[in-house]
Amino acid sequence: MKDSLLALEDRLAQGQDFERLLHPDFFEFGHSGRRWSRAEVLAELSGAGGTPARADVQAIDLTPGCWLLSWRSLGPRPAWRSSIWQHGAAGWQMRFHQATPIP
């Protein structure tokens, strides 16, 4: 499951499938500390980004159809990242994301 969820994370990082992959109730605590709604994320994020380098990846089965993915992003703005993925009628969708900067 970890590889499947990381592939979905990569699609989002590359600017693909936001409408499909973000749950209707999605929200995020961003790298800046700001809370983002789904609508704000959809308005701000567009175009291709890049696939981030990662370390310390963990995938934890929280309940049937709900997984927590956590990892450390590498590069010029390293951060601990976590996301909750929920499986439903629309397939796998990200319900929550958080990025905590690493000083």
Side-chain angles (χ1 to χ4, degrees):
M1 182 54 59
K2 178 169 68 173
D3 291 338
S4 297
L5 294 177
L6 285 173
L8 295 176
E9 291 262 1
D10 288 346
R11 291 190 69 73
L12 289 171
Q14 294 164 4
Q16 301 173 12
D17 297 329
F18 286 119
E19 288 281 345
R20 183 176 64 83
L21 292 175
L22 296 182
H23 189 276
D25 295 326
F26 171 85
F27 69 99
E28 172 176 345
F29 296 129
H31 198 274
S32 65
R34 179 178 169 190
R35 185 187 192 279
W36 294 77
S37 69
R38 181 181 191 272
E40 291 170 325
V41 168
L42 291 174
E44 282 290 319
L45 302 177
S46 62
T51 303
R54 298 184 181 98
D56 305 316
V57 178
Q58 289 187 316
I60 301 167
D61 185 0
L62 298 174
T63 64
C66 187
W67 284 74
L68 169 66
L69 189 65
S70 67
W71 48 282
R72 183 169 47 100
S73 61
L74 307 173
R77 294 180 56 197
W80 285 106
R81 299 182 177 275
S82 60
S83 54
I84 296 176
W85 287 87
Q86 182 176 5
H87 192 270
W92 284 104
Q93 292 184 303
M94 186 185 283
R95 182 77 187 244
F96 170 79
H97 180 262
Q98 180 167 352
T100 303
I102 299 171

